[in-house]
Amino acid sequence: MSYLFTSESVSEGHPDKVADQISDAILDDFLRQDPNSRVACETFVSTGLVVIAGEVSSRDAYVDIQTIARNTIRRIGYTKSEYRFDADSCGIISALHEQSADIAMGVDQKEQGAGDQGMMFGYACTDTDEYMPLPLALSHAALIELARIRRESPSPMPYLRPDAKSQFTIEYDENNTPVRVHTIVISTQHDDSVDQSRIKADIQNILIPRLVAQLSPKNAGLFKGDYILHVNPTGKFVIGGPAGDTGLTGRKIIVDTYGGKGAHGGGAFSGKDPSKVDRSATYAARYIAKNMVAAGIASEMLVQISYAIGIAEPVSIFVNTYGTSTVNKSDSEIAQIIGKIFDLRPAYIIDYFNLKNPIYEETAAYGHMGRTPYTKKVELIRDGKRVTREIQFFGWEKLDAIDKCKKAFGK
């Protein structure tokens, strides 16, 4: 029997994502100056106000919190007073303080332990070329394109403001294969002068065709013309962003991961340096699941890794292939093999993915998973000197463990 599954995304201008991006921009500047910085930075945004708090331990870094926050808000697009929240006039309060010595003791030992206890999940499936669930992939892609339209000059939708949300419902058949796009919901902040009928027409005739043009032929064919489209269902969306709703770091963890598919351990990512396994081990779990599915071990896989604070080796590894395994192994046996072929100690994860670099602001909107890995030159401060180095971004999305997975399972 067929079924429906829905996922949502939010734009970079959504208040929770504004908070995430400020937290990660601050983290990045600490890591740019001192790769051993320990940061747990939380941001709260509301009408005309940003509050930044948390714990930091850094030997050499000096971060201009005010400038980082304002530059981030300006990049997002909050630059006009009529938005009731703009980069130049909002108040910014910083309450960052030193990291707890009790936490540092467990992380700073000879073999780095996990920065906290907890369980982290990674997931992959064959819905898309990026091995991501289709409802979430479409939700992200729609908002990325909407932001691109907003920034075009001239823009075909000149009334757009930064805040937006999307939601895609996909119909799946009994074999868990996407059959069609069932319902699309787009809510976008806009100038007060525009008519809602124009917004809906522009979403239908500009945004959706541009979205479909980016997709693989298989997924583009799921837009059969019979989908339900809701645009700004309340009838108006002028007041948005932090003026319309408070924002807080870490409140969009399902948007950040798999849109409700698979599972989530509960820990947020943004503002946390990689010694926090909430972040680094979640990236490792995604890397394992993606490479295992790409290697043909299963067409869908959930990987759970759990840790105890101060202990390097995982407490447990769990795997669920949802009955899609193609190898003559139980899920428990697959988990045991994963534990042998992947080193999941925090220090190794951090080193393998080069996580002590300023790579995190890029992750703070439109999802941490399913992104295209790339490298670019970044200016760093190392040993008191400015240096330029080629840095890996989204390294956990690389498919460089396929051969290792195939060999381990005799594929």
Side-chain angles (χ1 to χ4, degrees):
M1 180 179 291
S2 65
Y3 64 92
L4 304 176
F5 192 87
T6 300
S7 296
E8 71 157 351
S9 182
V10 298
S11 75
E12 64 212 65
H14 185 281
D16 291 331
K17 279 291 147 197
V18 173
D20 282 346
Q21 289 165 94
I22 292 171
S23 291
D24 271 338
I26 291 168
L27 167 63
D28 276 355
D29 208 46
F30 274 105
L31 293 175
R32 184 179 65 83
Q33 300 177 57
D34 176 8
N36 295 311
S37 295
R38 298 281 160 70
V39 181
C41 178
E42 312 287 347
T43 302
F44 165 89
V45 296
S46 186
T47 305
L49 179 64
V50 177
V51 179
I52 299 161
E55 302 80 46
V56 174
S57 175
S58 184
R59 185 184 61 186
D60 302 315
Y62 169 75
V63 174
D64 185 339
I65 302 296
Q66 290 253 350
T67 297
I68 295 292
R70 294 190 192 282
N71 286 346
T72 304
I73 295 164
R74 187 174 296 108
R75 175 188 58 75
I76 292 168
Y78 287 108
T79 56
K80 298 179 180 179
S81 60
E82 57 261 39
Y83 296 166
R84 305 186 193 180
F85 180 84
D86 75 273
D88 293 320
S89 67
C90 66
I92 297 177
I93 299 171
S94 174
L96 291 170
H97 60 86
E98 190 171 357
Q99 183 188 47
S100 163
D102 292 347
I103 295 175
M105 182 171 59
V107 177
D108 292 337
Q109 56 193 328
K110 185 175 181 181
E111 181 174 31
Q112 180 178 334
D116 200 354
Q117 70 177 43
M119 62 283 190
M120 298 82 208
F121 288 93
Y123 175 82
C125 64
T126 55
D127 281 6
T128 71
D129 293 341
E130 297 76 29
Y131 299 95
M132 286 292 286
L134 183 61
L136 182 65
L138 292 177
S139 296
H140 285 325
L143 292 185
I144 291 170
E145 189 59 36
L146 194 66
R148 188 176 292 121
I149 291 170
R150 172 168 60 89
R151 290 189 167 99
E152 286 179 5
S153 181
S155 173
M157 301 171 68
Y159 49 81
L160 291 174
R161 293 183 177 185
D163 196 357
K165 300 178 75 171
S166 64
Q167 185 171 285
F168 277 73
T169 300
I170 305 299
E171 181 181 338
Y172 287 80
D173 65 16
E174 61 275 7
N175 297 316
N176 299 314
T177 301
V179 174
R180 69 185 179 102
V181 174
H182 182 277
T183 301
I184 302 171
V185 182
I186 302 290
S187 295
T188 181
Q189 187 187 13
H190 57 85
D191 291 345
D192 199 13
S193 58
V194 66
D195 188 85
Q196 293 297 319
S197 61
R198 179 186 174 183
I199 300 175
K200 185 168 185 177
D202 287 349
I203 295 295
Q204 180 75 71
N205 300 320
I206 298 173
L207 175 64
I208 293 177
R210 287 173 59 155
L211 168 64
V212 172
Q214 302 170 16
L215 304 177
S216 67
K218 177 183 72 172
N219 287 334
L222 301 177
F223 289 76
K224 301 181 185 298
D226 59 349
Y227 55 81
I228 301 165
L229 176 62
H230 297 293
V231 176
N232 290 350
T234 66
K236 190 177 184 180
F237 189 5
V238 173
I239 301 172
D245 192 9
T246 58
L248 188 65
T249 300
R251 279 208 302 211
K252 286 294 177 285
I253 57 177
I254 301 303
V255 170
D256 285 344
T257 51
Y258 308 105
K261 281 273 191 174
H264 195 294
F269 309 141
S270 289
K272 295 180 180 178
D273 76 85
S275 72
K276 282 76 171 173
V277 284
D278 277 345
R279 183 164 218 160
S280 53
T282 299
Y283 293 162
R286 162 63 178 172
Y287 174 75
I288 293 168
K290 182 177 182 179
N291 277 270
M292 291 282 282
V293 170
I297 310 304
S299 58
E300 184 178 12
M301 183 175 288
L302 180 73
V303 176
Q304 184 205 56
I305 313 168
S306 67
Y307 292 87
I309 188 169
I311 306 298
E313 293 288 347
V315 172
S316 68
I317 302 172
F318 166 84
V319 166
N320 186 357
T321 62
Y322 304 92
T324 69
S325 171
T326 63
V327 297
N328 190 26
K329 304 283 185 184
S330 68
D331 287 355
S332 178
E333 289 172 320
I334 292 173
Q336 290 175 14
I337 294 172
I338 284 173
K340 293 176 181 177
I341 65 174
F342 292 98
D343 191 335
L344 294 172
R345 293 172 296 171
Y348 181 84
I349 293 170
I350 290 167
D351 182 65
Y352 189 79
F353 297 120
N354 297 303
L355 298 181
K356 287 186 175 182
N357 286 304
I359 60 173
Y360 296 106
E361 188 178 1
E362 300 273 355
T363 70
Y366 310 118
H368 294 240
M369 318 302 173
R371 307 288 291 275
T372 301
Y374 65 93
T375 62
K376 73 175 180 180
K377 291 183 179 179
V378 177
E379 185 180 88
L380 309 173
I381 298 176
R382 296 292 181 261
D383 300 320
K385 299 178 180 178
R386 293 183 181 272
V387 298
T388 300
R389 292 182 182 167
E390 194 83 13
I391 301 298
Q392 175 73 59
F393 289 74
F394 298 101
W396 52 93
E397 291 295 322
K398 294 175 72 174
L399 289 172
D400 57 4
I402 293 176
D403 290 342
K404 177 166 67 172
C405 294
K406 287 182 175 180
K407 181 178 179 180
F409 289 92
K411 295 286 285 185

